[in-house]
Amino acid sequence: MKRLRIISPAKVNLRLDILKKRQDGYHELRTIFQKISLHDTLFFTLREEKGVWIQTNHPDLPTGRSNLVFKAAHSILKRSNYKGGVLIQIKKRIPVGAGLGGGSSNAATTLYALNQMLEMGLTQEELMEIGIKIGADVPFFLYKGGAAIGSGIGERLEKIELPLLFYVLIYPNFEVSSRWAYQNFLLTKKEFHFNLHQLLTNPQRISSFLWNDLEEVVSHRYQEIAMMKELLLSVGALGSLMSGSGPTVFGIFSSEEASKKAKQKIKTKVKERGWEIFHAHGLV
């Protein structure tokens, strides 16, 4: 039986502006995505028996039809001539429900892997069309390149080049529902008077430009957001922001040395609170 092992990266949102509520219930947004080196590992094995089997090392991750990986595998198998099924083993490192896109990344990796293993010949655009029906962030993880400006619900992507950025991320060990965060966000009219590309040239400029419309909603309910930001800024982060719908908060550093030193300084304090801490760099 064919086997394949693929890395599935996390993402951060360096900016997230919510522009309006759409008729389909989604929100129109503009965001800057960056893939980072924090990743899960997925193993795929084709089987003769029909079906989708998921195994994982994460005790709280569902393995049935609600799992985005299951949905992705089911979508591809339905389109293929393959009469058998697939076993997918997910080794999780990306926290679940953390605003880092782990589920979407895993789903995108599944679409890519099965397209390859079953020799279906679907293009990137075709895979992205399947992916958007599974989750708004899935197309980004199928997109070639480490960073992009996302618009629409995140599916319209424009590739951008970013300088090498280093991150320290803190996850406070609880999940935040994306649906809840968006439902509780109050829209206000916005004017944009800046050139995105001019602001993405170095870590200092990027740090001054960080923004997330959902941060106020989530931090109002969870005071840990402000505490994590303050902690990262106290050890030299150029800027700090909550990623996506949270609750993970990241700090940006311009060098690997500075980011590793910062992580070391706050590691004990973070673990005493029962939180998790990660070091990562941006992918290109």
Side-chain angles (χ1 to χ4, degrees):
M1 286 281 100
K2 275 188 181 177
R3 295 202 73 203
L4 190 61
R5 170 187 175 275
I6 303 188
I7 295 299
S8 179
K11 62 82 184 164
V12 292
N13 300 82
L14 294 170
R15 189 169 181 101
L16 178 57
D17 295 291
I18 301 171
L19 310 180
K20 65 178 181 180
K21 182 92 178 275
R22 293 160 41 130
Q23 288 186 332
D24 61 8
Y26 282 99
H27 285 80
E28 190 83 16
L29 53 85
R30 181 165 72 168
T31 186
I32 298 175
F33 290 116
Q34 160 126 80
K35 292 172 192 165
I36 60 173
S37 58
L38 174 64
H39 66 267
D40 296 334
T41 308
L42 274 66
F43 303 84
F44 300 87
T45 308
L46 293 181
R47 298 177 68 162
E48 290 179 2
E49 310 97 306
K50 199 169 184 176
V52 177
W53 292 268
I54 296 175
Q55 296 174 353
T56 178
N57 63 332
H58 196 294
D60 301 324
L61 191 70
T63 55
R65 292 183 179 275
S66 63
N67 187 302
L68 298 187
V69 167
F70 187 102
K71 292 179 181 179
H74 182 70
S75 296
I76 287 283
L77 288 170
K78 202 166 63 174
R79 284 169 171 78
S80 77
N81 296 318
Y82 186 62
K83 303 299 180 195
V86 61
L87 167 66
I88 305 169
Q89 294 159 299
I90 309 170
K91 186 179 178 183
K92 290 295 290 180
R93 284 189 69 238
I94 305 168
V96 174
L100 298 174
S104 296
S105 178
N106 293 172
T109 300
T110 300
L111 294 175
Y112 173 83
L114 292 181
N115 182 45
Q116 200 173 327
M117 293 177 85
L118 299 173
E119 298 176 358
M120 292 176 67
L122 296 170
T123 64
Q124 176 185 281
E125 288 71 25
E126 288 171 323
L127 289 173
M128 287 167 75
E129 280 174 25
I130 299 168
I132 193 62
K133 292 170 185 165
I134 297 167
D137 288 348
V138 175
F140 171 65
F141 288 105
L142 288 160
Y143 193 67
K144 288 183 173 60
I149 298 169
S151 56
I153 61 171
E155 87 287 7
R156 294 202 299 271
L157 298 161
E158 177 194 345
K159 189 177 178 180
I160 51 172
E161 301 293 333
L162 292 179
L164 183 57
L165 300 172
F166 296 91
Y167 297 94
V168 176
L169 304 100
I170 304 176
Y171 170 64
N173 255 321
F174 58 81
E175 293 183 36
V176 169
S177 159
S178 296
R179 185 188 291 267
W180 170 84
Y182 277 99
Q183 281 176 344
N184 284 274
F185 172 72
L186 294 174
L187 274 167
T188 54
K189 285 195 172 181
K190 284 187 166 192
E191 298 286 332
F192 292 103
H193 298 295
F194 48 76
N195 183 318
L196 276 177
H197 294 276
Q198 286 177 0
L199 290 160
L200 299 174
T201 52
N202 62 57
Q204 287 76 14
R205 277 191 165 188
I206 291 168
S207 296
S208 67
F209 169 75
L210 298 175
W211 181 261
N212 183 345
D213 272 338
L214 293 176
E215 189 177 288
E216 189 178 347
V217 175
V218 179
S219 60
H220 184 72
R221 183 168 178 178
Y222 300 104
Q223 60 182 355
E224 291 92 338
I225 305 299
M227 291 161 66
M228 292 185 290
K229 289 183 76 171
E230 283 169 24
L231 198 53
L232 289 162
L233 293 169
S234 75
V235 287
L238 299 171
S240 182
L241 189 71
M242 184 185 83
S243 182
S245 55
T248 302
V249 167
F250 63 85
I252 291 182
F253 297 83
S254 58
S255 75
E256 185 172 20
E257 184 185 7
S259 58
K260 284 186 171 176
K261 276 184 180 173
K263 183 190 171 193
Q264 204 58 37
K265 280 180 187 173
I266 59 175
K267 190 167 70 172
T268 304
K269 199 175 285 189
V270 166
K271 292 192 172 177
E272 280 172 357
R273 293 185 181 275
W275 301 344
E276 294 180 55
I277 189 166
F278 304 92
H279 176 269
H281 63 266
L283 301 179
V284 293

